[in-house]
Structures are given as structure tokens and as C-alpha cells.
Amino acid sequence: MVIDDKTFSESVERVLHADFACDFESAGPRELYNAVSKAVMVQSFDAWNAGRKSGKKRCAYFSAEFLMGRSIFANLLNLGCLGAAKRALAAVGRDLNDFEEVEDAALGNGGLGRLAACYLESAATMGIPLDGYGIRYRYGLFRQTFVDGYQHEEGDDWLKWGDPWSVRADRDAVIVEFADQKVKAVPYDMPIFGYHNDVVNNLRLWSSEPINEFDFNAFNEMKGDRTALENFNATKICDVLYPNDNTMVGKILRLRQQYFLVSASLQDILRKYKAQGKKLKDLDKSYCFQLNDTHPVIAIPELLRLLQKEGMGFEEAFAVCAKTFNFTNHTIMAEALEKWDALALSDLLPDVYDQIVACQHRLESEGLDKEKYFIIRDNVIHMANLAIYVSSKVNGVAEIHTNILKTDVFKDWYELYPKKFVNVTNGITPRRWMLLNNPEMAALIDSRIGEGWHTDLMQLRGLKQYIPEILPDFKRIKGENKQKLVAYIAEHEGVDIPPEFAFDVQVKRLHEYKRQMLNALSILYFYYGIKEGKIKDFPPTAFIFGAKAAPGYYNAKAIIKFINEISKLVNSDPEVNGVMRVVFVQNYNVSYAEKIVCAADISEQISMAGMEASGTGNMKFMLGGTVTLGTLDGANVEICEEAGRENNCIFGATVEEVAGIKQFYCPREFIEQDEELKRAVNTLIDGTFPDEEGMLKKLYDSLVDGHEPDRYLVCFDFRSYIRAKEGLLRSYGTDEFYEKCLLNMCAAGKFSADRSVSDYARLIWKIK
Ligand SMILES: *Cc1c(COP(=O)(O)O)cnc(C)c1O
């Protein structure tokens, strides 16, 4: 689908007339945004409809999170009308860039939700029939600001500018039933455009509503009654995304959300499937279901229930489920593996609970070791075990992570079902993470190797031979990206960063295992080293952070406060601010990431080995041409395999070493024996920073006291990190440094989500 400039202008104008009774001159930015978006929707209807009607086997990707970011620019890019849109608006004195004010659709927390979004785009681009199914949260991930260095959270009103990229499909509404509540699930469909290929897949997000007016009356009559209010307020189910990343919160509302999503999706899919006159026992020939982590795993007992309601026996229904479901594990952290209290679940969803019990009985009947193989134990339901037992394939998200699943976390299950376990290393879409956010760099690449790499990222290898000749342009473009980021940060954070500094970046969710603390302590080490004259000619560096902390995660919030205090100390000290700046940007999200990734020189990926399942931020930076400063964790391992370990900067304990270290680890000893580490750590308690709330003191305690002090080996890895980091920073600006950046860019091919979804299609979904 190519829209020429004239057609484009005319369609936009028609929508302005019809929907807003205004024209190009009188339209406000919001009206113009909606009109441009709707004009594109009108033009793409035929392709969208064709996708829905093709009889091919489809995969339904069930995910509690889709971190889509901003749609307008990415959609225009994929449809090949970014240029037409720019010109059309410019011709009438308007500017497409005004839409930078449009809120991100942040219906996800971090990596897991962003992965789902990248996969939808890549599948459409690869022509793979993949549709997303999720929840249309009224409020997405909270908006973050800092007040006096502390994180504050505000509601994220992502619909402020409207939602022109969704279409409400009332005709497909279904009823979802809980023991105490019946609600209507109404789908909103969002087209997912493939890149320049006329393929349009679908993202269906469900919204919960009261079934009818009668409910409202009943609700009104009982408004004094708190429980009645809970029961009848259907919209509450989709009110807000839980802001927890990599942690499980045992809240019933969360279980309601999960069941709401999968029950609505499965009813919808089965209804359409039956309408085609096909037999339910052959469901796997038309559909498969990918469970993105344990959040949607309750789909398994729900499908068992629905199939039996249609007259199937349990064993037959089980066989269908075993052929259609697949499960992706995203974390090995115990606090993130979902477990539900059996009583609570059976109270809310008695019939679904019965199906889980039936699965447990079936498992027991196989005569296996009960200590190793269980779904329900001590009245706790283990959702990952249920998923593994019933699924056709189980995958980890990077080689090292899948190996840990096989040898440690799910060792027993792997021994029972070795063929179930496969690896699919995560990926990112090069459209958003290069063509869109770094167009000048993309044009530079095009000028040497053509455009094939846009949809076949392995072709970047062909750029290697041009490195010497494109190096000056690479430097210039990176420099311009840095200028733009500097201006943005000055405006939004009020911090000045000299663009000629090295940009050392750590952006990702705030989590102790990701070790923003290690980065913070290294900055204090450099700071005092410079002040005391021990570190000479420090290479000028801007340390850039971005991260949201879960509102209930105390230590994560304390680390934000700590880094904000460090930032104040460093930036205001004339003895060091000539060579060091620190900034923690507020409200890190997809749109901020797009600006940061293309401007970074060094990508900090410093999790304790074994903890980061894959990471995808690391891949975005690699594609943007940065050197990774990291541990041998997650996809960092494969980044080194692809780009050469010598072209990145690796430090720290390995997975194999971690367990041994932990046996005898005493962080206090490390701190006592290392004056400079001690100096940095003691700033948490020695009055260097104000700490009225005792937050920093608690951080200090977590490093030295308690059951498992310094759980993530910050003090252990400190020296090896400092050595690696100082060496890398000192090499910044040399041709050798930029060559490493470019070698990483040329080697990023493996980390295209196009490759990931093709792996899924071939190894797991058996489609195309
Ligand atoms: C890519 C991305 C992430 C994931 O980053 P990791 O470093 O892999 O944890 C999180 N948040 C946003 C906004 C992203 O774009």
C-alpha cells in the first residue's frame, strides 16, 4: 500500500471535516493527530481484513503486557508514508513532529512487554500470522517524576490524545464469569503493519464493562455496600496495569485480570473456529497459543473447561491443549514465578480450579516422584509447573537462560521431557530501533549495502568491509544524535551535558539484580579519586540513568534517591564537573529509549551473572553502535559471540562461579579491605547525603546485614568492574573505540526479532 501525497492530504482533510468539523488551518494538534491516524486506518482496511480472513493457521500470542510505545511514526514508516505525511503537513504549515507530544501506549512494564510489541511488528513483517491478545488497561505504567530526588508516581492517562489506532469491535463482545461477578469483555483491535509488505496482523485488547444497564441500577441501589461495589464495578478489572516487573504480587484483582484476558480470548477464538464448521479436536491445525510468561497460563484450565463444555472428555481436551499451548519462561527468580493460593483461586474460579486439580491428578497417575512433579502442593498452585506439564514446547529467551532452565530451575521437568525444551533468543525490531530512531545512520548503511538489511539484518555483516570509510560519518551522526539528546535532557531534566563527553548509559527497570548500585558506587569511586588527585586526566564522561521502580519496591526507590543525590553532588562540584556529569532521566519509556539508544557510546549491562534471562536493551544499543560494558549474562554472551569478546568489555563473576562465591561470601570483608569501596559505600551512612527517611541507611544494611547480605555480589564484582570501566572510558574517542562500535553494529543481525519470530514459527508454532 503506497499512499501518494495528494491522496494523503485529501484523506486527512476528509476526516478533519467529518469528525472534527475543522480544516488544516483551524485543527488543533490533537485533532490533526487523530485525522492523520484515521486517514491511514481508512486506507489500510482492505489489507487488515484480508489478514483476518485468510484461512492459514494462526498463532495467538497471549500476554498481560504490550509495551507498544508511540504508534504513529512507526506505522507511517512501515506503510511507507512517513515522507508523504511530513510533506502533506508541511504544505499546509503544520509539523508532523508535533505528534512527539502524543503519549506512549505503555501497557507494559519493561522488557517482557516490549518484546511482545517487537514480536508483533516482526511477525507482520515476516508474513507470519501472529495476533496479540491482551488487556486494554485504562491506565498504563505510571508516569514518573522526581521530587527532591524521590520517585513520585502519577496515573498514566495514555488515552489523553485519543486512540485513533484502535477500533472497538462490539460485535465480538463475550461474557466472562467469575464466582461473584459477570462482566462483558469488549475487544479493541489495533492493526499491526508489516514493513512495506501489505501484511496487517491484529492486536486485540479486551476492555471490561458491565453487562447491561440493570447492573448499574443494582450497583446504585447497593452503593453503600463495599462488597457490592467491588462486585459490580466491572470496569475496575481493566483499570490499571500492575507496575511490578519481575515480581509476583498475589492480588486477586491480578488473577481476575489474567482470567479475564484468556477467557475472553479463548471464547472469541473458539466461537470463530466453530463458525467455520471445524471439529474442536483439530483445533491445533488452525491455532496455537503462545503464553508469554506465567501471567496467561490460566488459559490452560480455561480451554480444558471450554472444550468439556462442548462435550469433549477430559483426556481428549487435554490432548488438544497439549498440542496447542506453548510456554515462554522469562525469569529464574523465585519471587517472579507465579504461585496462587488454591483456596483463593477456587473461590474466584471454582470450575477452572477443578480443571487444575484434574491436571494434578493426571500427573499423579503417571507414577512419578511426587517431590519433583506437582502442580498443586501445600495448597499452592505452581503456574509454571502447570504450563510445562501441559505445553507442547517450553522456551527460554537466551542460550544461557535456557541452559539454566534445563540444568537448574526446571531440571526435573527437563529430564522427564527433554524434547519440550527449546531456546529462542530474544530480538528487537530494527524498524523502530534503527530506521525510525536513527534515520541518518540507516541512510549511511543504505548508501553502502542497499536496503536489504531492513528485513534481513544479517546483511549488516556486509557493512564490515566499509568500516574505515564510514567511520567519520558514523562519528558525525552519533555526535548529532548526542546533540539532540543533550537538548532534550536540558529541557526535560534541567541538567546540562557537554555533547563531547562519553555517554555511558544504563537504562532499564530499576531492580537490585540489574545492579544500578554497582554503577552508582563506581561513579563515587571516580568522583573521590578525581578530587583527591588519585585519578588523573579522567576521560570526560556523562553517566546517564533511566529507570522506573515498582512503587512498592523499597530498595529500588532508595537506589533512585541515592543516584539523584550523587547527581547533585557531582554536577554542582566545580572540581569535577568539568569531566563528569550524572543525570537520572525521569519517566524512562519507549520514546525516551528511542532518543537515548542512538546517542549512547557505552551500554551498561551489568546484572549479576545468571539473573538477566536475556535483556533486549543490550540488543538495541548494539544495533545503535555501542560497546557493551557487561557481565556474561543473558544475551550479552551471544553478543560477544557475534561481535567478538575483544570488541566489548566483559567483567565480573561468571554463572559457574556465582554459586561457589555465595557459599563463603562476606561483603563486609570486601568493604573493610578496600578503602575506596568503603568510601563509596559509606556515603550511604556518613552524612554525605541527606537521609531524613533512613532510606540510604536501609540500602547500606542490605549490603552488609541480614540473611543474605549483598545478594547480587555488588562488592564482589566492584574491583573488576572499575578496572574494566576505567579502561573502556579511557579508550573513548579513539578510532579503535569507534571501530568497536561499528563492529558491534555490523554483528547485530542475530538480534533481529525477525529471526526470533522465524525461530518460533519453525521450532514451535510449525507455521509458514
Ligand atoms: C527495551 C526496553 C526495556 C528492556 O530493557 P532491558 O535492558 O533489557 O531490561 C525496558 N523498558 C523500555 C522502555 C525498553 O524500551
Side-chain angles (χ1 to χ4, degrees):
M1 185 188 81
V2 180
I3 311 181
D4 64 74
D5 294 24
K6 186 160 166 286
T7 314
F8 192 87
S9 291
E10 285 170 0
S11 337
V12 175
E13 203 161 28
R14 265 200 299 276
V15 184
L16 282 176
H17 293 172
D19 285 12
F20 303 106
C22 64
D23 54 22
F24 277 117
E25 280 73 50
S26 57
R30 204 178 305 182
E31 288 150 347
L32 197 59
Y33 162 69
N34 280 278
V36 169
S37 309
K38 280 296 175 207
V40 173
M41 291 284 272
V42 168
Q43 299 289 328
S44 53
F45 172 78
D46 287 340
W48 196 8
N49 209 29
R52 284 192 280 228
K53 286 193 171 147
S54 87
K56 283 195 226 161
K57 176 173 174 180
R58 301 188 77 81
C59 177
Y61 195 86
F62 291 169
S63 179
E65 304 187 11
F66 287 93
L67 188 48
M68 303 300 283
R70 222 175 260 144
S71 290
I72 182 144
F73 302 115
N75 286 352
L76 290 170
L77 173 82
N78 279 19
L79 292 168
C81 46
L82 196 51
K86 267 193 192 132
R87 285 188 301 270
L89 292 198
V92 292
R94 309 298 301 246
D95 188 352
L96 194 67
N97 289 330
D98 290 350
F99 303 156
E100 294 252 344
E101 300 293 315
V102 177
E103 304 290 319
D104 275 25
L107 308 186
N109 274 285
L112 175 145
R114 184 54 232 170
L115 184 79
C118 280
Y119 282 1
L120 292 182
E121 195 276 347
S122 275
T125 297
M126 294 290 101
I128 297 168
L130 176 78
D131 297 316
Y133 289 82
I135 297 172
R136 190 169 188 267
Y137 301 106
R138 178 61 188 82
Y139 295 92
L141 187 61
F142 65 88
R143 165 180 286 278
Q144 176 199 54
T145 59
F146 298 143
V147 178
D148 203 19
Y150 294 103
Q151 169 172 293
H152 272 236
E153 301 106 25
E154 289 161 26
D156 161 64
D157 184 11
W158 69 282
L159 294 168
K160 214 164 17 184
W161 282 62
D163 181 22
W165 295 104
S166 292
V167 179
R168 182 180 164 105
D170 272 297
R171 62 186 174 278
D172 283 349
V174 297
I175 304 294
V176 174
E177 264 184 76
F178 303 88
D180 60 353
Q181 184 180 32
K182 260 193 206 182
V183 299
K184 186 162 73 173
V186 182
Y188 286 72
D189 288 338
M190 195 180 279
I192 305 294
F193 301 108
Y195 179 70
H196 295 186
N197 68 353
D198 277 349
V199 174
V200 186
N201 285 341
N202 199 48
L203 169 59
R204 175 156 272 201
L205 299 178
W206 296 97
S207 181
S208 64
E209 296 181 6
I211 291 174
N212 52 39
E213 298 303 316
F214 175 77
D215 270 10
F216 268 133
N217 296 334
F219 163 67
N220 283 333
E221 275 156 28
M222 285 190 256
K223 64 183 164 222
D225 182 334
R226 277 193 75 85
T227 56
L229 196 139
E230 297 255 308
N231 294 347
F232 285 96
N233 200 348
T235 55
K236 212 177 134 183
I237 294 176
C238 296
D239 258 3
V240 67
L241 167 79
Y242 275 89
N244 301 294
D245 187 66
N246 274 308
T247 45
M248 152 85 188
V249 281
K251 292 278 179 356
I252 287 301
L253 181 58
R254 171 79 170 177
L255 185 57
R256 263 186 223 273
Q257 290 184 338
Q258 296 177 348
Y259 180 70
F260 173 77
L261 154 61
V262 302
S263 180
S265 305
L266 288 170
Q267 289 186 60
D268 177 40
I269 288 167
L270 287 188
R271 185 164 68 187
K272 287 190 183 135
Y273 177 79
K274 283 194 300 182
Q276 294 170 14
K278 294 179 179 167
K279 294 202 174 74
L280 285 170
K281 71 171 178 41
D282 296 326
L283 186 67
D284 65 296
K285 298 198 175 75
S286 295
Y287 281 102
C288 63
F289 306 121
Q290 191 66 40
L291 303 170
N292 194 27
D293 211 320
T294 47
H295 319 137
V297 165
I298 199 152
I300 292 174
E302 174 64 358
L303 184 58
L304 285 170
R305 183 186 76 85
L306 291 170
L307 291 175
Q308 286 168 84
K309 223 174 89 183
E310 296 287 337
M312 253 189 205
F314 175 78
E315 274 306 318
E316 204 187 347
F318 189 94
V320 171
C321 289
K323 280 189 282 188
T324 46
F325 282 108
N326 303 288
F327 167 57
T328 305
N329 171 275
H330 286 270
T331 176
I332 62 160
M333 285 197 299
E335 58 265 47
L337 289 178
E338 283 196 315
K339 299 179 181 74
W340 289 105
D341 177 71
L343 282 176
L345 197 143
S346 66
D347 272 354
L348 187 71
L349 302 163
D351 299 344
V352 174
Y353 177 71
D354 289 345
Q355 297 304 318
I356 300 174
V357 171
C359 289
Q360 167 70 21
H361 287 158
R362 190 181 189 280
L363 176 58
E364 280 169 14
S365 76
E366 298 193 29
L368 303 160
D369 183 344
K370 284 183 184 160
E371 291 300 306
K372 293 181 178 172
Y373 304 103
F374 55 86
I375 294 163
I376 309 175
R377 193 169 70 176
D378 302 332
N379 281 315
V380 175
I381 305 168
H382 297 251
M383 300 307 276
N385 290 358
L386 174 61
I388 298 169
Y389 180 52
V390 185
S391 287
S392 172
K393 297 284 182 200
V394 175
N395 77 286
V397 291
E399 291 289 352
I400 187 175
H401 168 62
T402 300
N403 287 333
I404 294 171
L405 295 184
K406 290 178 180 177
T407 58
D408 182 5
V409 186
F410 300 133
K411 177 172 179 286
D412 297 327
W413 289 101
Y414 175 61
E415 281 167 8
L416 188 60
Y417 306 124
K419 291 209 184 98
K420 266 195 197 189
F421 287 75
V422 293
N423 174 251
V424 181
T425 297
N426 281 169
I428 54 161
T429 165
R431 270 74 63 188
R432 186 178 289 265
W433 299 108
M434 181 69 103
L435 293 174
L436 191 65
N437 81 329
N438 205 350
E440 282 79 17
M441 195 71 79
L444 174 65
I445 300 169
D446 289 349
S447 74
R448 294 306 191 284
I449 61 168
E451 297 185 0
W453 64 277
H454 296 184
T455 53
D456 177 12
L457 203 61
M458 278 299 180
Q459 289 186 26
L460 282 183
R461 279 180 181 156
L463 194 64
K464 226 167 138 175
Q465 65 183 108
Y466 299 104
I467 287 180
E469 66 175 86
I470 65 172
L471 201 136
D473 281 329
F474 175 83
K475 278 202 285 215
R476 175 181 54 76
I477 294 165
K478 179 79 70 158
E480 289 162 4
N481 293 342
K482 290 170 74 165
Q483 292 270 10
K484 284 183 206 152
L485 180 63
V486 159
Y488 191 86
I489 288 179
E491 186 187 338
H492 290 83
E493 319 301 337
V495 174
D496 287 317
I497 296 173
E500 67 278 10
F501 278 27
F503 284 14
D504 177 322
V505 179
Q506 187 174 19
V507 288
K508 46 185 72 256
R509 281 301 286 265
L510 205 309
H511 210 295
E512 285 164 283
Y513 84 80
K514 290 177 183 278
R515 300 201 294 192
Q516 282 94 349
M517 188 69 179
L518 181 57
N519 194 345
L521 292 175
S522 82
I523 294 169
L524 286 168
Y525 166 89
F526 294 135
Y527 173 78
Y528 289 116
I530 294 165
K531 275 187 89 78
E532 289 162 6
K534 285 194 224 157
I535 299 177
K536 296 198 171 41
D537 307 317
F538 187 74
T541 305
F543 299 95
I544 300 171
F545 293 86
K548 290 179 185 177
Y553 187 173
Y554 188 92
N555 279 359
K557 290 180 131 177
I559 292 169
I560 289 178
K561 171 68 174 165
F562 184 42
I563 295 171
N564 276 326
E565 288 299 331
I566 295 172
S567 166
K568 220 160 60 177
L569 175 76
V570 170
N571 297 349
S572 64
D573 187 337
E575 279 180 14
V576 293
N577 67 16
V579 291
M580 261 177 98
R581 297 288 163 92
V582 181
V583 62
F584 204 131
V585 306
Q586 299 169 89
N587 203 43
Y588 174 64
N589 61 8
V590 173
S591 291
Y592 222 139
E594 289 168 17
K595 295 180 170 62
I596 292 172
V597 162
C598 63
D601 298 303
I602 294 168
S603 156
E604 299 251 6
Q605 307 298 337
I606 60 177
S607 51
M608 184 182 79
M611 297 307 298
E612 190 74 271
S614 165
T616 49
N618 47 4
M619 301 169 183
K620 298 168 196 164
F621 285 103
M622 183 194 199
L623 182 58
T626 65
V627 175
T628 298
L629 170 58
T631 49
L632 283 179
D633 198 15
N636 299 352
V637 178
E638 289 158 76
I639 285 174
C640 286
E641 278 168 17
E642 296 298 303
R645 186 163 166 167
E646 67 283 4
N647 296 313
N648 286 295
C649 189
I650 299 301
F651 72 93
T654 61
V655 185
E656 292 76 19
E657 291 162 353
V658 164
I661 293 163
K662 282 200 162 185
Q663 270 189 304
F664 306 102
Y665 185 47
C666 175
R668 242 180 230 280
E669 277 171 25
F670 278 80
I671 295 167
E672 280 308 317
Q673 288 162 15
D674 186 330
E675 276 309 313
E676 288 145 331
L677 172 60
K678 190 168 167 181
R679 173 101 204 234
V681 170
N682 277 349
T683 62
L684 290 165
I685 48 166
D686 66 8
T688 303
F689 304 122
D691 187 27
E692 304 90 0
E693 308 198 6
M695 260 186 149
L696 304 185
K697 170 71 167 67
K698 289 220 177 88
L699 269 187
Y700 177 86
D701 292 343
S702 77
L703 285 178
V704 300
D705 275 338
H707 160 65
E708 203 182 354
D710 190 14
R711 199 169 154 196
Y712 300 108
L713 303 183
V714 168
C715 297
F716 184 89
D717 276 345
F718 180 75
R719 275 289 151 184
S720 123
Y721 177 57
I722 292 286
R723 211 176 311 121
K725 188 166 185 171
E726 191 172 343
L728 181 59
L729 286 174
R730 287 192 186 281
S731 76
Y732 171 72
T734 62
D735 276 358
E736 201 197 339
F737 181 88
Y738 288 113
E739 273 159 22
K740 286 183 181 176
C741 291
L742 271 162
L743 282 165
N744 273 282
M745 195 162 104
C746 294
K750 176 176 181 183
F751 305 103
S752 170
D754 300 348
R755 189 271 314 146
S756 307
V757 294
S758 303
D759 285 356
Y760 275 98
R762 191 181 68 257
L763 299 170
I764 300 178
W765 306 331
K766 315 274 158 92
I767 44 185
K768 204 195 168 188

